[in-house]
Amino acid sequence: MAATAPPQRTDRRGLVAWALWDWGSAAFNAVVTTFVFSTYLASRAFVDPALVAHEHGAAGRRAVEAALAHNATVVSVALTIAGVVVALIAPAIGRFADASGHRKRSVLLATIGIVLSIGCMVFVAPAQPYLVLGASLLGIGTVAYEIASVGYNAMLGQVAPEGRTGRVSGIGWAAGYFGGIVLLVVLLVLCIQDFGSPDRAGLLGLPSTVAGGEWSVRVAIGVAALWLAASSVPLFVVVPEATRGPARRSGVLTAYADLGRDVARLWRERRDLLMFLVASAVFRDGLAAVFTFGAIIAAQVFGFSSSEVILFAIAANVVAGIATVVSGRLDDRFGSRALILAALVGLVACGTGVLFIGTAQQGFWVLGLALCLFVGPVQSSSRAYLARLATPGREGELFGLYATTGRAASFLAPALFGLAVTIGGSTRFGILGIVAVLLAGLVLMLFVRVQRAQPASLGRA
């Protein structure tokens, strides 16, 4: 029995309301996981002050380095646990949301979870006992964000007019980048930028030292929580809720039994789609590593300061946002597969080039921004590819599987990054690990055939 197509809202108001959620999600992607909160947790603020006081000696430096490594490990463990949780529950969440007709409600509840987790990060004071709390909130926020993304991505088909799926997906991704630009600028000026005072930051004059409670960072996090909450409201007001799917058996075990049958059916009937899920899991892990480790490479290899890292992030979002808008039109004209392949080639070439530019910041600015030309198009076209193949009314299942396969490969880039750094003896060589993952995704993508016009087998009852 075929699923019922969900109600659509394909006018401009529906598109803007949908894209504003992406705009607001910059609060989590740019501020929490990449440039502000995760960096805060890994900083000396969470190292025993007694160790920092003796940092000038050789033994003191080693002790501080060991403490910082411990902090990074705590954060890594929290994110690993979050990834496992997402991998376990994402397919069931997507299936239940489709069957119950509560797709928008699932996004709403998960978004509330993201906002609350970010809001609670304000209370993470710069002291060792608060490290586990901060890492736990980061993990909880990650789970909530991934759950929200399953339903949100599935709503693409409700706001994209026929023949414009790639363009609309690109607009959404671009909105996220431009939202990151505006939010980072606001936080930099109000809360973070040093305007000459040694212990105050931003136009608000917030305490920026450990002794002062690092309120410059903590207030910035609070602003980010409000940003996401306000930006999300139009989605839940304007875009209609999905229709209830055909009656099916309920229960977590049943959901995974059905999922297993869907995967087996894909293997028999649509191996191109199954291969795409595998390939995208690999290259999406490489894309995540570009964001996760790009700031580390900029700071440790090219000597970027904290403010310079944020300025680079702003420029990177500008480039990525413009490229993603343009790529949406190319996606509709040439197809998602062709655009993904071309962008992956560009990513591999630019990433490899970072190895040969010395330590000049100008070289990193050029190649780093060139990388950003290709990151957004890959992400946007991957979402558009799946949206075109999903059966109307059953999109949540496919995007749930998409989230699960992505999490299943999330260890590849971090592991290869660390291995390359260890063997090469420099953070610079970590780019080889990222490039290897992107290259593997490119090779796997070559085995994906051009998408068919018919809906995928996954989603037929």
Side-chain angles (χ1 to χ4, degrees), residues 44 50-62 64-65 68:
R44 284 171 169 75
L51 293 179
V52 177
H54 296 87
E55 186 177 3
H56 298 295
R61 284 196 299 272
R62 288 194 295 269
V64 171
E65 289 173 1
L68 290 172

Side-chain angles (χ1 to χ4, degrees), residues 387-442:
R388 290 189 180 101
L389 294 179
T391 299
R394 305 285 288 277
E395 297 91 346
E397 296 179 22
L398 193 55
F399 279 104
L401 184 57
Y402 183 64
T404 297
T405 53
R407 281 295 173 179
S410 62
F411 66 92
L412 288 175
L416 290 180
F417 180 91
L419 180 62
V421 170
T422 300
I423 294 175
S426 169
T427 304
R428 177 193 299 277
F429 290 100
I431 193 67
L432 281 176
I434 299 174
V435 168
V437 174
L438 292 170
L439 182 60
L442 171 62

